[in-house]
Amino acid sequence: MEALKGIRILDMSHVQAGPTCSQLLAWMGADVIKFENPAGDATRGQLRDVPNADSLYFTMLNCNKRSITVNMKTAEGKQVFVDLVKKSDIVMENFGPGVLDRLGFTWEKIHEINPRIVMGSIKGFGSSGPYADFKAYENVAQAMGGAMSTTGVPEGPPFVTGAQIGDTGTGLHLAIGLLAALNQANRTGQGQYVEVAMMDGVMNLCRVKFRDHQRLTRQALSEYSVPTYQGMGEVPRAGNDSGGGQLGNAIHCRPHGANDWLYIVVQEAVWEALANRIGPDIGMPNLATDPKFHSIGERRKNQPLMWTLINKFAEKHTKREFMEILNPLNVPCGPIMSTQDLATDEHVKGREMWVELDHPQRGKWWNVGMPIKLSASPAKIERSPTLGEHTDEVLKFVLGYDDAKIASMKQAGAFSTPPKTPKKAA
């Protein structure tokens, strides 16, 4: 964890998009101080599976961070924020539009406090344009960024993806932007504002669909298994088509359960070997030279029949058996793996992508590991912090506050929610 050693990040983000970004940077060695209001990140209590313990929603997105609770509605709390801004390289937020501004901390003010600091901001639709004030969530971003309209089957409704491309995808985009801005700040001495909109991030991840959108102005999309035509306008939903130049689809295998599928890509270079292997078993020994399939163009035109024939062969094999048949033929393929498959997979555990941790509130639990492997800076994954666990530590050792000052600020309510004033009887 040496890559970002010495970099301090003041992380005001919450829920998923921002915490995804800061957790990744923490795994690279940054000192991430999670700056929470006294009630804490809302996800600490959302979808809770262990009573009185931080939820997995929180713990899986906030590893390797320190937590400090600050009441920004007090003058003392605002001073803590200002002092931390002075000591940080990056500040992050994903509040709704105008929240920080109303607290008196515009980007211009933060830049004035620390000219070198980089500020990362995640918004649903950005800070400009007619959608700027709209609220966004994961699936809203997928809907408005082009993912849902191109996911599913033509005759069915649009689908969201299981992967969190709206939130987590945006967090990954922000991490790239922050590191680029930090590098520039190291050269120039000047920080900058880095903004990533969830809608923009989803559009970027749908880039190949916008490739096809433009191709449709000139031609049909021959690799699609569903009908397309020149001038069609919008890119259709195409089920499990590969979306690339090679044909691909999911094949149902024995015993035909919900996840007994193998995804196969039929490259031009492997067709002959594949056809020679499966042809005799389905009563078509000359499949490789059959005029309906002998060229990539013919296979594209007749791909529904081609997939039917491959499915017929797969009826006798499990997805793992079929994969073992195809691998020696160099056919790109992979089983559809459930969460249970992945949680017990030898390859996954060997790459430390399913990691067991211990937590003082919830005990043993598992997290998805670090997907980026740095040879000279391997990540060491540590548990998420409890609420305010490091408040005194940060105040003393980062800001240099003495015990008397901390006690005075606590007395003023800088780190706690003020008690509610009882309503007077009418």
Side-chain angles (χ1 to χ4, degrees):
M1 295 170 55
E2 295 289 318
L4 294 180
K5 186 177 180 180
I7 301 300
R8 180 171 294 125
I9 299 173
L10 182 57
D11 180 17
M12 305 180 78
S13 69
H14 56 288
V15 189
Q16 185 177 167
T20 293
C21 172
S22 56
Q23 177 171 258
L24 194 69
L25 299 177
W27 284 345
M28 292 181 180
D31 176 19
V32 176
I33 298 174
K34 187 170 180 69
F35 190 93
E36 301 182 73
N37 67 51
D41 189 318
T43 58
R44 286 184 182 271
Q46 288 181 359
L47 307 177
R48 184 174 272 156
D49 59 318
V50 176
N52 303 314
D54 287 337
S55 74
L56 289 167
Y57 197 1
F58 178 85
T59 62
M60 294 187 76
L61 291 164
N62 288 284
C63 286
N64 294 62
K65 304 177 186 180
R66 297 197 279 179
S67 170
I68 177 173
T69 55
V70 178
N71 183 355
M72 285 280 280
K73 294 182 179 179
T74 67
E76 293 81 3
K78 289 181 180 179
Q79 187 59 51
V80 171
F81 175 70
V82 169
D83 290 345
L84 281 171
V85 166
K86 292 177 180 177
K87 296 278 189 176
S88 298
D89 302 284
I90 294 171
V91 60
M92 293 173 51
E93 63 89 20
N94 63 342
F95 294 118
V99 170
L100 268 184
D101 293 2
R102 289 193 292 273
L103 288 169
F105 295 106
T106 62
W107 156 240
E108 290 75 19
K109 180 63 176 177
I110 289 172
H111 185 61
E112 178 186 323
I113 295 168
N114 181 354
R116 292 183 60 90
I117 202 165
V118 171
M119 182 170 182
S121 181
I122 289 176
K123 303 299 178 195
F125 304 97
S127 56
S128 61
Y131 303 158
D133 292 331
F134 290 6
K135 276 190 172 182
Y137 284 84
E138 166 68 41
N139 293 345
V140 173
Q142 289 195 33
M144 295 185 68
M148 286 186 67
S149 69
T150 54
T151 304
V153 293
E155 63 274 14
F159 285 157
V160 297
T161 68
Q164 302 291 286
I165 63 173
D167 277 319
T168 291
T170 302
L172 299 179
H173 282 97
L174 181 62
I176 296 168
L178 290 176
L179 294 178
L182 188 62
N183 185 57
Q184 185 172 341
N186 288 336
R187 293 200 324 271
T188 66
Q190 290 293 310
Q192 61 185 293
Y193 180 76
V194 180
E195 179 183 270
V196 181
M198 295 170 69
M199 180 180 180
D200 298 352
V202 172
M203 282 190 69
N204 184 48
L205 296 175
C206 292
R207 189 172 294 268
V208 297
K209 298 302 180 182
F210 290 99
R211 172 203 67 192
D212 293 346
H213 175 78
Q214 295 175 88
R215 291 171 61 213
L216 280 170
T217 64
R218 296 180 174 87
Q219 62 188 47
L221 306 177
S222 61
E223 75 277 11
Y224 275 55
S225 63
V226 301
T228 61
Y229 53 89
Q230 183 180 0
M232 188 174 185
E234 59 192 34
V235 175
R237 294 189 281 279
N240 287 316
D241 287 357
S242 72
Q246 306 295 334
L247 301 180
N249 223 308
I251 305 300
H252 212 179
C253 301
R254 187 174 62 83
H256 303 99
N259 289 307
D260 292 318
W261 298 77
L262 185 75
Y263 198 92
I264 298 175
V265 177
V266 182
Q267 296 174 304
E268 186 168 10
V270 303
W271 168 249
E272 184 176 356
L274 174 63
N276 285 334
R277 176 62 183 84
I278 71 173
D281 286 39
I282 59 173
M284 298 183 66
N286 299 319
L287 180 60
T289 56
D290 189 305
K292 293 188 294 294
F293 308 110
H294 80 281
S295 69
I296 182 66
E298 293 301 318
R299 289 193 293 278
R300 283 174 176 166
K301 286 192 293 186
N302 296 294
Q303 62 174 303
L305 177 57
M306 181 186 75
W307 296 128
T308 297
L309 296 176
I310 295 174
N311 268 288
K312 184 177 180 181
F313 177 86
E315 290 175 354
K316 300 176 181 178
H317 304 280
T318 67
K319 60 186 180 184
R320 293 286 183 173
E321 290 169 348
F322 197 9
M323 182 174 70
E324 289 175 2
I325 291 170
L326 296 180
N327 279 339
L329 305 177
N330 290 321
V331 177
C333 63
I336 278 62
M337 297 183 74
S338 68
T339 53
Q340 179 64 17
D341 289 334
L342 291 164
T344 56
D345 188 79
E346 181 181 358
H347 179 86
V348 169
K349 287 188 176 180
R351 289 191 56 78
E352 297 183 330
M353 285 305 298
W354 189 236
V355 182
E356 188 176 33
L357 298 168
D358 201 0
H359 191 277
Q361 295 173 339
R362 62 179 303 115
K364 300 287 186 182
W365 63 287
W366 294 82
N367 202 1
V368 177
M370 170 59 151
I372 303 169
K373 311 299 186 185
L374 302 180
S375 64
S377 184
K380 180 184 178 185
I381 298 178
E382 299 170 351
R383 68 165 176 87
S384 60
T386 56
L387 180 61
E389 180 178 349
H390 304 96
T391 299
D392 284 358
E393 176 182 304
V394 170
L395 296 175
K396 289 180 180 180
F397 301 109
V398 176
L399 298 183
Y401 292 180
D402 59 28
D403 290 340
K405 183 172 184 177
I406 294 172
S408 173
M409 297 183 88
K410 285 182 178 178
Q411 185 67 29
F415 314 112
S416 58
T417 303
K420 292 183 179 179
T421 304
K423 292 181 179 179
K424 293 182 179 180

